Amino acid sequence: RSTSGAEPESARARGAGAERGERREGERAAGIRCVAYNNQSNRLAVSRTDGTVEVYNLSANYFQEKFFPGHESRATEALCWAEGQRLFSAGLNGEIMEYDLQALNIKYAVDVFGGPIWSMAVSPSGSQLLVGCEDGSVKLFQITPDKIQFERNFDRQKSRILSLSWHPSGTHVAAGSIDYISVFDVKSGSAIHKMIVDRQHMGVSKRKCIVWGVAFLSDGTVISVDSAGKVQFWDSATGTLVKSHLIANADVQSIAVAEQEDSFVVGTAEGTVFHFQLVPVTSNSSEKQWVRTKPFQHHTHDVRTVAHSPTALISGGTDTHLVIRPLMEKVEVKNYDAALRKITFPHRRLISCSKKRQLLLFQFAHHLELWRLGSTVATGKNGDTLPLSKNADHLLHLKTKGPENIICSCISLCGSWIAYSTVSRFFLYRLNYEHDNISLKRVSKMPPFLRCALQILFSEDSTKLFVASNQGALHIVQLSGGSFKHLHAFQPQSGTVEAMCLLAVSSDGNWLAASGTSAGVHVYNVKQLKLHCTVPAYNFPVTAMAIAPNTNNLVIAHSDQQVFEYSIPDKQYTDWSRTVQKQGFHHLWLQRDTPITHISFHPKRPMHILLHDAYMFCIIDKSLPLPNDKTLLYNPFPPTNESDVVRRRTAHAFKISKIYKPLLFMDLLDERTLVAVERPLDDIIAQLPPPIKKKKFGT
């Protein structure tokens, strides 16, 4: 789902002359396969069809704070959290994996010897793990402090186990299979009930009925969802069907129940999410019944997975969107927490730019693409679209070897170096340009400690390469000619292993800033090879940062939309930053729901800070006053027929443009040219398989 390609069709004469790009080729977007919500930490784990696993911090403005790169052989079918904030996944390769949330890698993988794993559930105590396999086996594992240990098999069933759910007491387990649901006694491992599912669908008997999801409630009720479009309620004590709801003309694929067991959510193959609530039969009655209250249509394709947090319904599926819909009756403060969120793009940069050669490097899951931007000699007024006099060139398609996804990549400002990393290898290439030809030479014998890099950055003069490893070390590599030399490694502070996810280097090459997953920012002196200072800790993770030329002020954006400016030479916040914190940002700025992913600076305008998120581009002019909450944030200029005096009086520091479609990348190429890479949502949908056709009334 990585990026758009860069095929600029036209240039706009808008301010700095932005260049637009359209994708012509690439890899299919990776849909969402499963989600797992952790109530203790308020975090959400999401796995995608390419094996990538992402972790969102819902308390930090829904920021994607961690990710684990995908792998061709890992088709993840199940995710779950265990006690102690431990994250496990299982999939069709037959292995259970645990993730290291500090070093951002896989701790270990255990083969369960049951064929592909279709389902997994952690016990209510968080100390046991249950998996359902292709061969009909249900296997119980004990979660030990440093690994998992096989305990025993339950009675084997005749077909694959597609769904599992523990009774809240931990004594029984419900397992969904093909045509039936089994109820197991955990102590003995025996199946004590087998409940046969009706194959009837819309009056027609289907060949088989797949039980995609089950949920075991405290009162012994088992709720099942199946391929016949039904939500059914079973009495586990007697093994009988109590009630059935036909809610879809296609599969109901997922179910999740609220912790209080007063509501649950299901997702269908038609892209609809249904909400069920437990309500009194009559206004004065103590007897309650399950009622379907709200259908939501926020997806175009299959809803493969759902989760239920205390305040929201969460869904994901084939269309790549992660949708978080707040339950209005559960949200105390009616601010941006009450707004629907649809997360589509990664909260990290997948595009880098060679400004000197006007090149863009695009990172996909298994290849890199290098494009030279087109150009125009035409002129026009602001807002005009100008024809290209020279089309964009696709210079390079660099494919990785092996099954691992690319973690990160970068091109040097001069365009002579490309580096990228996978979990097991680090690659560095030297590029040579002769007229319209480009040649590529790989630098051999890269040291193994550079592998599994989380961030790569070149110095502005392209003589140094900075590599952030997943073990917390920051490596400095000297580049000269076609060779390299490892100069130094900054080790993590006080023996901690904290992965560094963001890097920023000053234009003079003297300072290197690094941010880890715990929101801390360290600044290093590159010449003296020592730690210079640590920016005061802040509660929310860093989403982007950059060091301004000339002043060496470090500008940091956090997931709560706060922006700080920190003077590296003075080791303190700047006067402008203190003024901002004293007055506060405009409430509409703070209510934006996508993080800032890139910060840059204008070479001739030191008072300007340029930044963007997926839906807006902003120039902050530090010489102008900040807007207050009574000011229009998105319309700082009055009509052009107003006098200059009025225009100056009403102008404020924030100049915001929302003309771009989802924005993956924006940066200055030079003082007059801005490059923007968009990723229209329609293009993503066009790549997907066709959705299920719904019969409309009267057709």
Side-chain angles (χ1 to χ4, degrees):
R1 100 187 195 319
S2 297
T3 66
S4 85
E7 177 78 9
E9 282 189 345
S10 59
R12 290 179 179 175
R14 179 179 287 111
E19 298 193 35
R20 294 187 71 195
E22 281 198 6
R23 173 178 181 159
R24 284 221 176 152
E25 58 182 291
E27 297 164 0
R28 176 172 284 181
I32 293 174
R33 182 58 197 92
C34 41
V35 298
Y37 174 70
N38 186 322
N39 199 18
Q40 287 178 305
S41 64
N42 200 26
R43 281 174 168 80
L44 183 75
V46 177
S47 75
R48 295 191 178 266
T49 50
D50 66 352
T52 300
V53 172
E54 303 159 348
V55 178
Y56 292 82
N57 186 344
L58 304 193
S59 300
N61 208 4
Y62 300 82
F63 179 60
Q64 186 193 108
E65 63 180 4
K66 298 172 184 179
F67 85 101
F68 299 86
H71 193 285
E72 281 183 348
S73 70
R74 287 204 302 265
T76 304
E77 286 293 320
L79 272 178
C80 65
W81 294 92
E83 192 178 17
Q85 314 300 315
R86 293 170 68 178
L87 180 62
F88 294 88
S89 75
L92 301 185
N93 62 355
E95 293 178 339
I96 301 173
M97 294 185 297
E98 182 175 1
Y99 295 88
D100 188 327
L101 297 173
Q102 289 297 315
L104 300 188
N105 60 11
I106 293 168
K107 276 187 179 179
Y108 58 84
V110 174
D111 194 327
V112 304
F113 299 106
I117 300 171
W118 290 97
S119 53
M120 177 170 62
V122 70
S123 65
S125 66
S127 60
Q128 290 176 304
L129 205 58
L130 207 59
V131 293
C133 303
E134 172 74 21
D135 66 359
S137 61
V138 177
K139 297 174 183 286
L140 183 66
F141 288 82
Q142 195 72 30
I143 301 174
T144 61
D146 53 357
K147 213 169 181 183
I148 58 171
Q149 192 171 337
F150 175 73
E151 201 162 305
R152 68 172 180 279
N153 284 312
F154 287 5
D155 287 353
R156 182 174 290 195
Q157 303 303 294
K158 291 181 179 178
S159 59
R160 65 179 64 145
I161 307 298
L162 291 158
S163 48
L164 288 167
S165 179
W166 289 77
H167 186 271
S169 67
T171 57
H172 294 84
V173 167
S177 194
I178 298 173
D179 292 334
Y180 62 90
I181 301 162
S182 303
V183 177
F184 293 95
D185 179 273
V186 173
K187 195 170 184 180
S188 66
S190 302
I192 57 175
H193 283 298
K194 183 177 283 188
M195 300 175 287
I196 307 299
V197 180
D198 185 8
R199 295 185 185 183
Q200 289 283 321
H201 176 69
M202 307 293 285
V204 179
S205 183
K206 297 184 77 175
R207 192 160 51 88
K208 59 185 176 182
C209 185
I210 302 166
V211 181
W212 287 118
V214 289
F216 214 148
L217 306 186
S218 301
D219 64 0
T221 301
V222 173
I223 310 172
S224 67
V225 297
D226 59 44
S227 59
K230 298 191 296 292
V231 176
Q232 297 188 312
F233 298 83
W234 306 82
D235 184 336
S236 65
T238 60
T240 55
L241 178 64
V242 177
K243 197 168 186 180
S244 182
H245 291 262
L246 179 64
I247 65 166
N249 294 324
D251 298 44
V252 185
Q253 297 182 308
S254 47
I255 181 171
V257 180
E259 193 174 21
Q260 288 78 21
E261 297 185 357
D262 56 356
S263 77
F264 68 88
V265 57
V266 299
T268 75
E270 297 171 325
T272 310
V273 171
F274 290 97
H275 186 207
F276 284 76
Q277 289 180 285
L278 193 60
V279 297
V281 175
T282 60
S283 57
N284 299 321
S285 172
S286 60
E287 186 184 351
K288 293 185 176 183
Q289 64 180 353
W290 287 103
V291 176
R292 190 178 82 193
T293 54
K294 302 167 191 168
F296 305 118
Q297 187 78 42
H298 299 304
H299 296 274
T300 57
H301 290 65
D302 302 43
V303 179
R304 299 293 303 271
T305 179
V306 290
H308 199 315
S309 81
T311 58
L313 308 179
I314 301 165
S315 56
T318 307
D319 65 4
T320 77
H321 301 310
L322 177 65
V323 176
I324 300 165
R325 183 183 181 90
L327 296 167
M328 298 305 293
E329 66 273 16
K330 302 281 188 180
V331 179
E332 293 179 7
V333 184
K334 298 296 186 283
N335 58 9
Y336 65 95
D337 284 336
L340 174 81
R341 288 169 186 264
K342 189 178 275 192
I343 301 171
T344 305
F345 300 103
H347 293 167
R348 62 186 190 280
R349 287 176 58 196
L350 298 168
I351 301 167
S352 55
C353 178
S354 166
K355 297 181 180 181
K356 293 176 183 174
R357 289 190 178 270
Q358 302 218 335
L359 306 174
L360 289 179
L361 181 70
F362 294 86
Q363 176 185 320
F364 296 86
H366 293 285
H367 76 274
L368 302 174
E369 290 185 14
L370 185 64
W371 290 77
R372 181 187 288 126
L373 289 167
S375 59
T376 183
V377 293
T379 58
K381 62 181 184 297
N382 278 355
D384 287 353
T385 298
L386 307 178
L388 286 177
S389 55
K390 185 180 179 184
N391 287 326
D393 292 328
H394 185 183
L395 301 179
L396 182 68
H397 183 104
L398 186 59
K399 196 171 187 319
T400 61
K401 293 180 180 178
E404 296 174 339
N405 284 19
I406 297 171
I407 304 173
C408 59
S409 60
C410 193
I411 186 170
S412 63
L413 260 64
C414 68
S416 298
W417 298 93
I418 287 177
Y420 74 90
S421 175
T422 66
V423 169
S424 62
R425 302 180 78 182
F426 186 91
F427 297 87
L428 179 64
Y429 291 89
R430 173 79 171 177
L431 280 71
N432 290 306
Y433 303 87
E434 291 182 19
H435 306 295
D436 288 336
N437 296 323
I438 181 171
S439 61
L440 191 71
K441 184 181 179 183
R442 183 179 160 192
V443 179
S444 59
K445 298 180 181 177
M446 296 304 294
F449 52 74
L450 293 181
R451 69 187 178 195
C452 205
L454 297 176
Q455 183 79 311
I456 305 168
L457 196 61
F458 289 93
S459 61
E460 199 159 299
D461 61 5
S462 303
T463 61
K464 290 185 178 68
L465 172 66
F466 304 99
V467 180
S469 83
N470 71 324
Q471 297 298 317
L474 295 174
H475 299 280
I476 304 177
V477 177
Q478 180 83 41
L479 304 174
S480 60
S483 61
F484 74 94
K485 179 185 176 185
H486 184 257
L487 290 182
H488 187 72
F490 294 113
Q491 296 300 330
Q493 302 300 304
S494 64
T496 58
V497 179
E498 185 195 13
M500 292 293 170
C501 302
L502 286 173
L503 296 178
V505 64
S506 60
S507 57
D508 57 17
N510 291 340
W511 306 106
L512 176 68
S515 169
T517 52
S518 66
V521 178
H522 305 295
V523 180
Y524 298 90
N525 187 317
V526 176
K527 281 191 174 179
Q528 298 178 9
L529 300 178
K530 68 176 186 179
L531 178 68
H532 174 69
C533 64
T534 299
V535 178
Y538 188 66
N539 291 335
F540 288 83
V542 178
T543 67
M545 61 182 184
I547 301 173
N550 304 319
T551 62
N552 282 331
N553 288 338
L554 174 65
V555 178
I556 307 168
H558 292 270
S559 67
D560 64 345
Q561 311 300 356
Q562 294 289 342
V563 178
F564 296 91
E565 186 181 50
Y566 185 84
S567 171
I568 293 175
D570 297 339
K571 299 185 182 180
Q572 63 180 9
Y573 289 113
T574 64
D575 291 341
W576 178 82
S577 190
R578 293 176 195 275
T579 302
V580 169
Q581 291 308 306
K582 189 175 180 181
Q583 180 176 330
F585 283 99
H586 196 285
H587 70 281
L588 292 178
W589 175 267
L590 297 176
Q591 287 175 17
R592 291 170 21 258
D593 62 1
T594 54
I596 292 166
T597 52
H598 184 53
I599 301 171
S600 58
F601 307 95
H602 195 290
K604 296 293 177 65
R605 297 173 188 167
M607 297 303 285
H608 285 191
I609 301 171
L610 287 69
L611 36 81
H612 77 83
D613 63 19
Y615 298 104
M616 68 95 207
F617 165 64
C618 176
I619 298 173
I620 300 177
D621 186 341
K622 296 189 291 179
S623 66
L624 290 175
L626 293 167
N628 58 41
D629 280 353
K630 296 177 183 177
T631 312
L632 284 172
L633 178 67
Y634 293 114
N635 188 21
F637 289 122
T640 53
N641 57 7
E642 292 279 8
S643 67
D644 286 345
V645 175
V646 174
R647 288 171 62 80
R648 279 197 297 271
R649 191 169 65 240
T650 55
H652 61 66
F654 285 72
K655 310 297 183 292
I656 295 173
S657 169
K658 287 190 164 187
I659 61 169
Y660 300 100
K661 295 173 184 175
L663 193 57
L664 291 188
F665 177 82
M666 183 175 270
D667 203 358
L668 281 171
L669 289 177
D670 54 50
E671 59 189 79
R672 289 187 53 79
T673 312
L674 190 73
V675 61
V677 179
E678 300 168 315
R679 188 70 178 105
L681 294 175
D682 291 345
D683 289 1
I684 296 176
I685 299 301
Q687 283 190 327
L688 301 175
I692 290 175
K693 298 291 184 188
K694 292 184 186 175
K695 185 175 176 64
K696 294 184 179 178
F697 181 75
T699 60

